[in-house]
Amino acid sequence: MALWRASAYAGFLALAVGCVFLLDPQLPGSALRSLWSSLQLGPAPAPPGPGSPEGRLAAAWDALIVRPARRWRRVAVGVNACVDVVLSGVKLLQALGLNPGNGKDHTELRSRNDLKEAFIHFMGKGAAAERFFSDKETFHNIAQIASEFPGAQHYVGGNAALIGQKFAANSDLKVLLCGPVGPKLHELLDDNVFVPPESLQEVDEFHLILEYQAGEEWGQLKAPHANRFIFSHDLSNGAMNMLEVFVSSLEEFQPDLVVLSGLHMMEGQSKEFQRKRLLEVMTSISDIPTGIPVHLELASMTNRELMSSIVHQVFSAVTSLGLNEQELLFLSQSASGPHSSLSSWTGVPDVGMVSDILFWILKEHGKSESRASDLTRIHFHTLAYHILATVDGHWANQLAAVAAGARVAGTQACATETIDTRRVSLKAPREFMTSRSAAGSRVMLNPNEPVVEWHREGVSFHFTPVLVCKDPVRTVGLGDAISAEGLFYSEVHSH
């Protein structure tokens, strides 16, 4: 009955609107929306375009995003790089002569059958996963079949290579990339990216990304969500083999910004190896001339001990950090920070909680009068919003930087040159508290003034929403593009 009534209302509404248009075709949209809401069918959707919240926000960003007075000229990036081969998981397994069966999780893949079972296990859950394939010959055989498979797509992969690629889009910047670069990756890289000869390898490091769609079936298996299963036999990145080449290349290249990533790749190594390598990372960073900022890009991790070691050993040696919501919460859990009892975020991460953890990182591990630390900046990004937190007196143009980082999230995910307001939506909370542990203030979001600023004990916060792409074309490497864009618009004060 209720369904019939709703249909009747809808029919009546269509008839009424048709009559109104016949009588007065020039009737403003606001009157039609008023008619819509008076029939209690919920608010009429605001038309996408310049007048919508998304349109106003995009226009406000464009006015705010200005280049800094002092710009980077030479950026050095290292040390993880690979080729991402993206293709249908089911089609690859069929090409390998495998039949559907029962799923089983394997922490390490040793055979084609292990690959099949692990893929089925995660496809059945619709969950993302990444695994190491320990048998070199079998992996290279699978990688060759995958790479030559019709429809397989090859992309630049690895945080360092992706960040370098993003910087290289600016023709007035010189970019140095150190990482394991094979012939295919070299071919994919922008011409503006310089790779030192010592970084070149005869064979690429391939990461195979097996995609599946929501509702896709294989035998009895049906995926509840679209997702991907990633696997590789990546020894170079896992051992951070190019770290020493990277640091030795800096003297000749003379960068004014250094970006480091790939520490998370050590998760598969022994504790002793991790401990030794982190000490070598610290020595390498200390060899970088004073006054050159070092940005550390974090990535997904599951080893709390490694994360804790990175926090306590590496943070004080770097100037800037880039991370997302999973990495931020895991960091807090690993180092007993604020809100660490939270097992995971539900929905959009609470702004006040995020702000508390960022404040704690800078207060506990950042630069202060009593602490010999270089850390003064954190760029946090999640799907719905970004926050830049900086220790006062060290950075300029951060309002433009956070807006630029958010804007690139909307354009790159949708694969558009500029924000297309029909393809994005505003998902950020319309109001929020700036802290959950201190006396925070309540903020109401205004699309006309999209960057919100607040201060807490010598730390400044810049918040902006993201215009989230409704139909993302490609999300791999989005965080790296965001961090690169935020850094591109940042200006560091020389002390």
Side-chain angles (χ1 to χ4, degrees), residues 65-108:
I65 298 172
V66 292
R67 293 281 292 269
R70 280 177 64 240
R71 302 175 188 179
W72 315 112
R73 291 168 299 107
R74 305 168 81 83
V75 180
V77 188
V79 291
N80 62 328
C82 64
V83 175
D84 282 343
V85 183
V86 184
L87 73 163
S88 157
V90 170
K91 285 179 181 170
L92 175 66
L93 295 178
Q94 287 172 333
L96 293 172
L98 297 164
N99 296 312
N102 294 323
K104 183 184 177 186
D105 188 12
H106 295 273
T107 53
E108 189 178 285

Side-chain angles (χ1 to χ4, degrees), residues 135-285:
D135 185 316
K136 181 182 176 180
E137 279 188 28
T138 305
F139 176 79
H140 283 304
N141 178 254
I142 295 170
Q144 190 172 357
I145 293 168
S147 198
E148 294 167 2
F149 196 82
Q153 295 171 298
H154 295 78
Y155 295 103
V156 171
N159 309 83
L162 285 159
I163 289 171
Q165 191 82 330
K166 187 65 188 170
F167 273 122
N170 304 285
S171 56
D172 53 347
L173 259 182
K174 288 187 168 58
V175 180
L176 171 87
L177 169 67
C178 280
V181 177
K184 184 65 184 178
L185 178 56
H186 209 198
E187 179 193 311
L188 291 169
L189 287 169
D190 192 291
D191 293 342
N192 211 17
V193 175
F194 171 70
V195 180
E198 302 87 346
S199 249
L200 297 172
Q201 297 191 160
E202 287 181 16
V203 181
D204 281 283
E205 295 292 353
F206 285 107
H207 286 211
L208 303 191
I209 301 175
L210 308 189
E211 294 191 323
Y212 50 87
Q213 304 308 313
E216 187 173 346
E217 296 181 25
W218 191 35
Q220 302 295 308
L221 182 66
K222 186 174 181 178
H225 313 289
N227 223 316
R228 58 174 70 94
F229 181 83
I230 304 173
F231 67 106
S232 66
H233 176 83
D234 187 340
L235 298 176
S236 298
N237 286 309
M240 293 186 75
N241 278 349
M242 292 296 165
L243 180 67
E244 285 74 19
V245 170
F246 183 43
V247 176
S248 64
S249 304
L250 299 181
E251 195 173 344
E252 189 184 338
F253 185 70
Q254 300 219 310
D256 43 22
L257 172 67
V258 171
V259 180
L260 177 66
S261 66
L263 295 181
H264 63 288
M265 296 294 294
M266 292 194 291
E267 280 205 315
Q269 306 286 353
S270 68
K271 281 185 187 178
E272 181 54 33
F273 179 90
Q274 290 171 359
R275 189 188 64 76
K276 182 168 162 284
R277 207 72 180 113
L278 278 182
L279 284 172
E280 288 160 355
V281 168
M282 287 300 296
T283 307
S284 299
I285 295 173

Side-chain angles (χ1 to χ4, degrees), residues 373-429:
S373 169
D374 291 327
L375 183 60
T376 50
R377 176 184 184 272
I378 306 173
H379 188 166
F380 167 83
H381 52 88
T382 185
L383 185 70
Y385 65 86
H386 295 176
I387 298 177
L388 258 171
T390 49
V391 177
D392 291 349
H394 297 278
W395 292 87
N397 213 43
Q398 295 303 280
L399 188 149
V402 75
R407 182 175 67 178
V408 83
T411 56
Q412 184 153 317
C414 279
T416 52
E417 286 295 311
T418 56
I419 293 285
D420 182 343
T421 53
R422 295 163 302 175
R423 292 180 57 192
V424 294
S425 59
L426 187 58
K427 303 272 191 190

